[in-house]
Amino acid sequence: MKPVIDTKCAGCHQDGGIAPFPLTTTEQVQGMKNAILHSVCERSMPPWPAHRDCNQYNHDRSLSDEQIALIRDWVRAGAPLGNESDAPAETPPASAQLSRVDLELAMSEPYTPQVHPDEYRCFMLDWPETEEKFITGIGVRPGKTDIVHHVLLAAVPPENLSAYLQADEADPGPGFSCPGGPNPPNGPLDSRGVMIGGWVPGGEGRDLPSGTGIRIQPGSKLVMQLHYNTSSAPPAPDLSRLLLKLDGSVEHEAFFFPFTNPEWVRDRKMPIPKSESDAFHIWRYNALDFASRVSKKQIRDNAPISVYGAQLHMHQRGTRTALTVEKGDKEKACLLEIPEWNFHWQGVNFLQQPVRISPGDDLRIECHWNNAGFTPHHGAQLPAVSDLNWGEGTNDEMCVAFLYVTQE
């Protein structure tokens, strides 16, 4: 029992952690036994949105059926204590780890969240390297672990900095508001930076898949989007830091690219009618052709790519979503499926084994929303709204995937 709590729960449930109460002592675990039993049996905790039958991922936080049965039997038996002499040593949380830190970047000054309970704030970080480098590992050291919920990161090459700098200058105080991701709220899509990763509570970081890395040009800037949540802790000055592992070369240059229907974005052809409890949109397109277009030809359309990781993104009214590789009319490979969408638990899922996409294969994305008024998983009742469509704001919606790939 103790190893399960240590590895799967204590990474977030500790003093000063993002969870609302600690689970690091016997008394704390016994006192919360009924809440633990309820949450693990309905699989709301530990948070792991990916469907267990879609694929296998590195650093899976979810519990096995055997682990859930162990907790259930322990609680039903009255949460007994074993012999102290038989207690195993404390087991580290089952989180990814950053093998080394070559560069540490910090926000220019502390920031205190101004919006309750959720605020999304972007901070520009100067890139000091004068020669081309590859990011091969990413981590975050939050200044205030009890309010930093998760972080998304992007790299902006020199030619795309204008919209970011304008947003930073126009917004008073450190950084700028960015509820739609690490992007300027009104910046053109073709001038955005490229995703380089993210972070969620439970670990200081992780290496990117072995042999891969993301190229960063001299003169670039990094953008760190922090999601602050003040539901269980008061606003306080935060000074978070970005930790990076760097290498001068890698076996395979890696790319993050977005996958979504351009008409949804450009022409707002993603209607989500008011009072519709299961509105959905599906889009399928040639994977390599799309990747080569959005990556400005860094990815070629005539050579296979290997998918090492995927992330799906919607907003607060999302209910479920999935991303698959379609190989003809019958064969498909599931990359990521989230059957119960939770806006507050997002991130890149790295596959245990890469999935190959060959010329002629399609990507397919499917998103569902409830626009009839409902209580989402994070517990806040959303008010009735009018028809929705694609937009940057939290009260708009999105349906987009990000894929971490290499090419031969």
Side-chain angles (χ1 to χ4, degrees):
M1 176 67 186
K2 185 178 186 297
V4 176
I5 298 296
D6 287 347
T7 58
K8 300 292 188 175
C9 306
C12 295
H13 287 272
Q14 57 181 286
D15 290 330
I18 189 63
F21 52 84
L23 291 174
T24 54
T25 70
T26 300
E27 292 76 15
Q28 291 165 348
V29 175
Q30 285 183 315
M32 297 300 297
K33 62 181 184 297
N34 292 325
I36 293 172
L37 177 62
H38 175 76
S39 63
V40 301
C41 285
E42 68 172 14
R43 291 193 178 274
S44 61
M45 286 287 158
W48 185 253
H51 196 295
R52 61 196 314 199
D53 295 331
C54 172
N55 213 311
Q56 293 182 311
Y57 307 95
N58 294 328
H59 309 294
D60 186 340
R61 293 191 303 271
S62 65
L63 297 178
S64 67
D65 292 340
E66 292 76 16
Q67 289 170 325
I68 292 175
L70 178 66
I71 294 173
R72 182 184 62 240
D73 293 345
W74 178 73
V75 173
R76 289 177 176 174
L81 294 177
N83 294 325
E84 187 174 346
S85 60
D86 295 332
E90 183 174 345
T91 308
S95 59
Q97 296 295 320
L98 191 60
S99 61
R100 70 172 194 265
V101 177
D102 299 311
L103 178 63
E104 187 171 325
L105 303 176
M107 296 159 51
S108 60
E109 59 182 293
Y111 179 75
T112 302
Q114 305 295 307
V115 181
H116 178 80
D118 296 295
E119 180 172 0
Y120 300 83
R121 196 80 178 173
C122 281
F123 303 93
M124 305 284 288
L125 306 177
D126 292 332
W127 180 253
E129 300 295 321
T130 57
E131 297 181 357
E132 183 178 271
K133 294 285 186 178
F134 290 86
I135 293 177
T136 55
I138 299 172
V140 172
R141 183 173 294 143
K144 294 293 293 183
T145 57
D146 51 352
I147 61 173
V148 177
H149 194 286
H150 72 254
V151 177
L152 293 177
L153 304 160
V156 187
E159 63 269 20
N160 289 352
L161 281 172
S162 177
Y164 287 85
L165 295 175
Q166 290 176 14
D168 200 17
E169 292 171 1
D171 196 314
F176 57 91
S177 177
C178 55
N183 310 302
N186 300 309
L189 291 176
D190 60 359
S191 68
R192 290 184 174 180
V194 295
M195 281 278 295
I196 61 173
W199 171 91
V200 294
E204 285 195 347
R206 60 182 171 184
D207 292 351
L208 294 176
S210 178
T212 73
I214 301 171
R215 186 192 308 267
I216 307 295
Q217 306 171 29
S220 299
K221 288 185 182 290
L222 302 189
V223 180
M224 184 165 62
Q225 183 213 41
L226 282 92
H227 171 195
Y228 293 110
N229 182 280
T230 53
S231 295
S232 58
D238 171 66
L239 185 65
S240 291
R241 298 177 179 274
L242 175 61
L243 312 176
L244 297 172
K245 177 185 172 211
L246 303 179
D247 284 287
S249 63
V250 293
E251 296 176 34
H252 305 288
E253 180 179 1
F255 308 90
F256 269 107
F257 74 88
F259 180 76
T260 191
N261 186 343
E263 290 188 350
W264 294 343
V265 185
R266 182 185 62 240
D267 303 325
R268 292 178 60 84
K269 289 186 177 180
M270 196 184 77
I272 303 170
K274 181 181 179 180
S275 302
E276 181 67 52
S277 61
D278 187 26
F280 66 92
H281 287 282
I282 299 171
W283 193 63
R284 175 175 174 171
Y285 196 81
N286 182 279
L288 291 174
D289 180 58
F290 187 90
S292 69
R293 291 171 185 265
V294 299
S295 68
K296 299 179 175 63
K297 303 300 182 180
Q298 291 176 306
I299 299 174
R300 306 181 307 280
D301 64 2
N302 60 354
I305 59 176
S306 295
V307 181
Y308 285 78
Q311 175 179 351
L312 285 158
H313 177 69
M314 297 187 292
H315 289 176
Q316 294 188 97
R317 294 182 182 271
T319 56
R320 56 191 174 96
T321 178
L323 177 69
T324 54
V325 179
E326 308 287 331
K327 300 175 178 288
D329 294 332
K330 296 182 179 179
E331 185 182 357
K332 69 177 182 179
C334 185
L335 294 175
L336 181 60
E337 180 181 357
I338 300 177
E340 295 185 359
W341 175 257
N342 188 324
F343 180 62
H344 295 301
W345 288 106
Q346 303 184 50
V348 181
N349 292 73
F350 286 111
L351 304 168
Q352 289 187 8
Q353 296 294 329
V355 172
R356 183 184 178 91
I357 296 181
S358 301
D361 292 348
D362 289 347
L363 280 169
R364 180 185 184 275
I365 188 171
E366 178 175 351
C367 295
H368 292 248
W369 301 267
N370 184 340
N371 197 22
F374 73 118
T375 302
H377 295 291
H378 54 76
Q381 178 69 41
L382 295 178
V385 296
S386 59
D387 295 346
L388 296 179
N389 214 307
W390 182 283
E392 291 287 346
T394 304
N395 291 324
D396 301 311
E397 271 304 336
M398 287 187 176
C399 176
V400 59
F402 298 92
L403 292 93
Y404 183 79
V405 306
T406 66
Q407 188 166 46
E408 299 173 359

